[in-house]
Structures are given as structure tokens and as C-alpha cells.
Amino acid sequence: MASPRIRKAIFPVAGLGTRFLPATKAVPKEMLTVVDRPVIQHVVDEAKAAGVDQFVFVTGRNKGAIEDHFDYQFELERTLLERGKDKERIALAHDQPGAGNASFTRQQMPLGLGHAVWCARELIGHEPFALLLPDMLHHAKTPCLATMMAAYEKTGGNVVAVSPVPEDQTHLYGIVGVEDARQGISRITTMIEKPPQGTAPSNLHITGRYILDPEIFEILAEQEPGAGGEVQLTDAMVALMQRQPFHAVTFDGDIYDCGSKIGFLAANIAYALERSDLRGALRSEIDRLTSSTKL
Ligand code: G1P
């Protein structure tokens, strides 16, 4: 039987963004821009490119700008129309989710990623869904989620994107153990959230892209707090692994952790260097800055 199509994606956007204070005092961290698009827009673009058309945001206090960003801005549209700025108007319309296609719910307490995902259960219902962690920008010719969808069509079940990290960083992530690696897809045999240094089953970290069966919600409802005292999605996936297959797709593009300053700055440079309108001038600026004797 063919696997059901993935129509819905969850974007957990409730995090406080303390690492980016004071920038994130009044602006959600997901609204910080990589070149001229908010981080969250880049991640929604990835989901769209994979065929998702229902966008579920798990927000929190002070995240209203995200909702506004994905809404129709009547005054702005009108002004662009009057001024003949058709290119900008069409681009905005292209980024706009259709009526009723964006939903927002709140994670009222910061109890962990597993809890944030569980908060979306009523909006997802009984169908498999994608989950994209907005801090992690995945940059590749074929968007990560699209590659995962192709794998999911072959394997069904649950699919998680992974990529290698240096051994001394495995304690910072969810780590998987795998077998039967074939054409970038392997069966996951074990998973652990933030293993103490020296105990990781491999160096393959969970990158923040998932395709999950809705049965995960039943497990999350009962899930006890794990690493860091938070309800961990990885712990719930370990429980679901007893009942359903999990496969790993090795992502071979670049990942920028926009929750960290260096990742965020690197993402800005990488995405700008791809743009023909910015590449030349940015290269000159970088050359000038890096060759400066003041550095
Ligand atoms: C979360 C997940 C972890 C994953 C990571 C990717 O951790 O729990 O499994 O490897 O995202 O960024 P967090 O970064 O929220 O601590």
C-alpha cells in the first residue's frame, strides 16, 4: 500500500531566543533575516518545495510577528499596487500561505520539544506529518525534506534526517545508530538524546527534519521529562521504534544552526553568495575586511 501523502508540517517556534538578546527582546528569533527573508520563511519554503501545504506553527508569547508575517498585509499590497511595484507584490503573494493553510497554537510552558510537538496534535489529526526545526537551515540543491519524502515513499513509517558531526559534539544532539545503509537511506536501530561524551552509538546527529506517524502523539502524552529535564521528542521516538520502522536519510548539504551566532552569520554569507545581485559586491567586502591590517 502506498504511504499516505504528507500534507502538514509542524514548525515549533516557541523558543525564547535568549542567545540573541537584545535582538530578540521584541522580535522573535525566527524573524531574524538571512539575507532578506526571515529564517522561518526559508524553512517554510523548504516544506513547500516538498509538497506541504498546511503549515502548523507552535508559538508562544511575543511571537505575534510570525503570524503577521504569514498574513495578508492589505495596506502594503495596496501601496505596492498603486506604486506599480509588481515584482515585489507578486513575490509577496507567492510567499503567502493560502486562506486557512496556516494554523497557530501556543505552547504555554517551555517544557521541551516533545511537548511543543504534542501541542499540535489536534491540528495534525490522524495523518503522518513533517516536523521542521526552524533554527536549523538545511541548504542543498534538493531541499532536505524533499529528499526525505522520496525516501518515505519507498520505506513508509518514520524518517529522520541525519548527518555526521565531530565526535566531540555528539553530546549536543540526538544521535542515531544505523544499519543496512543503502543509497543514503538506512534503518535506525537506536536513538539517544544528548548522550554523555564517549557513549554515542555513532556520530550521526538528528538534524531537525522528521517525518512522523501520528502515533507519536499518544506516546508524547505520557512521556516523562528526559535530558535537560525537558520532554524530549527523541525519547518518544525511541518508544515508537518498538512498534514502527524508523529510517535515517543522510543529508549531504550544508546545515546552518541559526540558533547560534556563528551559524546565523555563516548562513547570511552563504545565502548571499548564492545571489547574483549580491555575490560580487559581497566578495569584495569580505576580501577588504579579511585583508585589513586592523583584524
Ligand atoms: C533538538 C533535538 C535533537 C536534535 C537537535 C537538532 O535539540 O532534540 O535531537 O539533534 O534539535 O538541532 P535542541 O537543539 O532543541 O537541544
Side-chain angles (χ1 to χ4, degrees):
M1 203 176 70
S3 311
R5 184 170 92 81
I6 308 292
R7 303 184 306 134
K8 299 185 179 179
I10 301 178
F11 304 87
V13 291
L16 289 176
T18 43
R19 283 191 280 177
F20 276 88
L21 282 169
T24 47
K25 205 172 156 198
V27 176
K29 63 175 173 158
E30 298 80 9
M31 289 302 293
L32 299 180
T33 54
V34 169
V35 190
D36 48 13
R37 297 171 85 67
V39 169
I40 187 65
Q41 181 75 63
H42 285 284
V43 184
V44 165
D45 291 346
E46 181 188 335
K48 266 192 191 169
V52 166
D53 55 20
Q54 302 279 326
F55 309 94
V56 176
F57 299 87
V58 181
T59 73
R61 276 180 288 284
N62 298 326
K63 298 283 183 166
I66 298 176
E67 207 161 330
D68 289 343
H69 176 76
F70 290 106
D71 195 6
Y72 184 79
Q73 300 278 1
F74 181 77
E75 294 84 355
L76 179 60
E77 296 271 336
R78 186 87 218 152
T79 309
L80 293 175
L81 187 68
E82 279 166 12
R83 298 194 180 162
K85 293 199 175 285
D86 290 340
K87 205 170 120 226
E88 289 80 358
R89 203 170 48 80
I90 290 164
L92 279 187
H94 174 264
D95 291 341
Q96 165 86 54
N101 285 5
S103 314
F104 299 83
T105 188
R106 281 194 180 200
Q107 183 187 25
Q108 294 149 332
M109 307 277 273
L111 299 179
L113 176 62
H115 178 257
V117 171
W118 180 73
C119 289
R121 67 199 179 283
E122 295 296 338
L123 293 167
I124 296 295
H126 299 287
E127 56 184 290
F129 61 94
L131 164 67
L132 299 93
L133 307 192
D135 276 351
M136 305 300 268
L137 280 191
H138 287 55
H139 192 241
K141 222 175 186 173
T142 306
C144 181
L145 189 62
T147 306
M148 293 169 70
M149 293 281 202
Y152 165 78
E153 270 163 33
K154 288 189 201 145
T155 63
N158 302 266
V159 178
V160 174
V162 300
S163 105
V165 282
E167 303 283 348
D168 64 355
Q169 288 179 24
T170 50
H171 65 293
L172 301 173
Y173 298 99
I175 301 291
V176 302
V178 297
E179 63 177 24
D180 294 339
R182 250 171 270 168
Q183 293 170 335
I185 307 176
S186 35
R187 207 172 63 79
I188 298 181
T189 52
T190 154
M191 249 187 263
I192 175 161
E193 183 66 19
K194 304 197 174 74
Q197 249 164 352
T199 66
S202 79
N203 69 342
L204 291 175
H205 85 297
I206 298 172
T207 68
R209 298 291 182 273
Y210 312 77
I211 292 173
L212 294 170
D213 186 275
E215 205 175 330
I216 196 82
F217 294 124
E218 288 164 34
I219 297 170
L220 284 170
E222 308 279 319
Q223 188 64 51
E224 295 292 333
E230 297 192 337
V231 178
Q232 295 292 350
L233 177 65
T234 306
D235 294 344
M237 293 197 296
V238 169
L240 187 54
M241 250 171 60
Q242 311 308 313
R243 309 183 202 165
Q244 294 186 11
F246 268 78
H247 288 88
V249 167
T250 307
F251 176 65
D252 62 2
D254 294 314
I255 297 175
Y256 300 97
D257 178 0
C258 288
S260 87
K261 282 171 198 159
I262 289 298
F264 177 73
L265 294 170
N268 266 287
I269 296 170
Y271 281 65
L273 285 174
E274 278 213 321
R275 293 255 301 250
S276 56
D277 58 331
L278 298 173
R279 190 182 305 128
L282 181 59
R283 276 231 173 93
S284 310
E285 277 300 315
I286 294 173
D287 286 348
R288 189 179 67 79
L289 289 166
T290 51
S291 64
S292 159
T293 48
K294 280 182 266 166
L295 288 181

